[in-house]
Amino acid sequence: MRQTAIGNTDVLVGAIAYGCWRFAESSVDDADTKIRTALDAGMTLIDTADIYGLGEPRGFGGAEAVLGEVLHREASLRSRMFLATKGGIIPPRPYDSSYDYLTAAIEASLTRLNVDTVDLYQIHRPDLIAPVEETARALNDMVKSGKTRFVGVSNFTVAQTRALQAHLDTPLVSTQPEFSALHQDPITDGTFDWCSETGATALAWSPLARGSIPRKSSDHPRGAAVISCLQDIAEAHGASVSDIALAFTMKHQARIIPIIGTQNPARITDSAKATELDLSAREFYDIVEAYRGEAMP
Ligand SMILES: NC(=O)c1ccc[n+]([C@@H]2O[C@H](COP(=O)([O-])OP(=O)(O)OC[C@H]3O[C@@H](n4cnc5c(N)ncnc54)[C@H](OP(=O)(O)O)[C@@H]3O)[C@@H](O)[C@H]2O)c1
């Protein structure tokens, strides 16, 4: 699979990433199969979060714990992946990015994951209460102590990202917004432009709109138009709508890495094909216009 650099670093990861949000119900054997399938397909960035599992039998930390079991069984898998996790959501508060909370949260994540260090620690959502200097101090200390190599954010506005960056000793290498053919806000809200400005990587969550695109069923007001547009392009390329939707996310100039979340190993392997598809500029704009409901000005 094509490789792409994380931020302005020389660290390369696969052009598509694999996410563990839906992982908490997996048996360790199933999780092991999914992780190996993703790594074999070249999806070396594995994204998880401490909150994944909340509301399910394994609970808070459940998805990290399953991945930790997989790594416990075969520690060599760790060296094949760029391991990303997140912290800072803690219902019912609901967010906590204070120094003490984040410092304890990364320790707990490392313990569950059975690793000494992660490659990327992301603040999952912006906390409106914790002073941004404190959040930055926690992230600075995580990097200094080697608990994470890099830091990033998720679901932050550009202004929130810049405010945090102003207090950090290290560059934010990534931001993780929701982005798909059915959720195109980061194109216009400045998120991708901030990535172009700083060299940070955009990691796109739910690039298939949580399955709405392959299931061809969306309650988004422009859903039918977007899905019909994706279908037309898919027919022209002899590809699936999922492949076209992933190729769409990767066509934007800001070097976006979509994080897929299927629990089906065959679909993980199939998704890699999307990196070989090159949409024409017209096809990319067709998808943008189908979402906008009008032609570009
Ligand atoms: N930062 C954040 O706040 C945030 C929020 C959400 C997610 N994320 C990250 O993004 C990752 C991906 O999210 P996601 O799981 O929503 O991604 P997604 O790839 O948009 O959606 C995955 C869903 O699509 C379904 N699907 C895929 N191909 C299909 C097909 N051909 N037919 C029918 N259904 C199909 C999957 O079902 P099957 O399993 O049956 O294939 C699964 O339910 C997460 O794991 C997480 O790492 C981050």
Side-chain angles (χ1 to χ4, degrees):
M1 179 180 288
R2 180 168 54 79
Q3 304 269 293
T4 186
I6 285 289
N8 289 320
T9 76
D10 54 9
V11 177
L12 296 175
V13 297
I16 295 178
Y18 185 63
C20 303
W21 178 28
R22 302 173 189 276
F23 229 52
E25 289 313 290
S26 294
S27 67
V28 178
D29 282 344
D30 286 350
D32 184 280
T33 301
K34 287 179 259 189
I35 291 295
R36 284 174 197 271
T37 305
L39 294 174
D40 289 348
M43 298 170 195
T44 50
L45 192 158
I46 304 292
D47 181 68
T48 188
D50 56 13
I51 187 89
Y52 296 165
L54 190 81
E56 295 167 53
R58 278 206 179 87
F60 185 99
E64 284 186 335
V66 176
L67 181 55
E69 285 294 314
V70 171
L71 292 172
H72 179 66
R73 282 191 348 186
E74 187 162 338
S76 68
L77 289 176
R78 172 70 185 94
S79 61
R80 294 178 61 196
M81 66 177 67
F82 181 94
L83 180 56
T85 195
K86 319 180 196 75
I89 303 183
I90 176 78
R93 181 179 154 132
Y95 311 130
D96 194 346
S97 288
S98 62
Y99 181 88
D100 288 348
Y101 179 78
L102 289 176
T103 303
I106 191 170
E107 272 310 334
S109 288
L110 294 174
T111 302
R112 282 189 292 265
L113 288 164
N114 271 310
V115 296
D116 297 326
T117 183
V118 289
D119 296 299
L120 177 64
Y121 193 82
Q122 304 154 97
I123 304 294
H124 205 153
R125 286 193 179 268
D127 180 7
L128 307 180
I129 296 172
V132 73
E133 300 88 331
E134 251 196 56
T135 307
R137 187 159 59 88
L139 294 175
N140 284 335
D141 284 1
M142 287 179 197
V143 174
K144 271 189 221 126
S145 62
K147 291 185 173 133
T148 186
R149 290 166 82 189
F150 305 113
V151 290
V153 293
S154 181
N155 305 302
F156 273 47
T157 66
V158 172
Q160 287 167 333
T161 309
R162 287 204 175 112
L164 178 61
Q165 181 63 76
H167 298 278
L168 282 169
D169 300 337
T170 184
L172 290 163
V173 299
S174 63
T175 186
Q176 189 178 137
E178 179 175 9
F179 179 56
S180 68
L182 279 175
H183 191 99
Q184 298 188 17
D185 291 1
I187 292 180
T188 49
D189 69 10
T191 302
F192 292 157
D193 303 313
W194 175 80
C195 291
S196 302
E197 176 189 325
T198 62
T201 300
L203 301 170
W205 64 261
S206 295
L208 300 180
R210 303 178 183 87
S212 300
I213 291 172
R215 287 194 297 269
K216 303 185 179 88
S217 149
S218 164
D219 53 11
H220 188 283
R222 301 294 310 155
V226 170
I227 289 167
S228 155
C229 177
L230 291 170
Q231 259 179 306
D232 289 346
I233 299 170
E235 274 163 35
H237 283 263
S240 67
V241 288
S242 300
D243 289 346
I244 300 300
L246 293 175
F248 167 74
T249 65
M250 291 183 277
K251 183 77 179 173
H252 191 281
Q253 58 81 26
R255 292 189 305 135
I256 295 154
I257 298 178
I259 312 173
I260 60 160
T262 177
Q263 299 300 293
N264 177 322
R267 287 181 185 153
I268 298 173
T269 304
D270 276 356
S271 304
K273 288 187 205 139
T275 59
E276 287 153 29
L277 276 172
D278 191 16
L279 300 189
S280 69
R282 188 58 256 167
E283 287 166 337
F284 176 84
Y285 280 111
D286 281 345
I287 299 167
V288 174
E289 290 179 353
Y291 181 81
R292 287 165 49 94
E294 58 182 358
M296 299 303 283

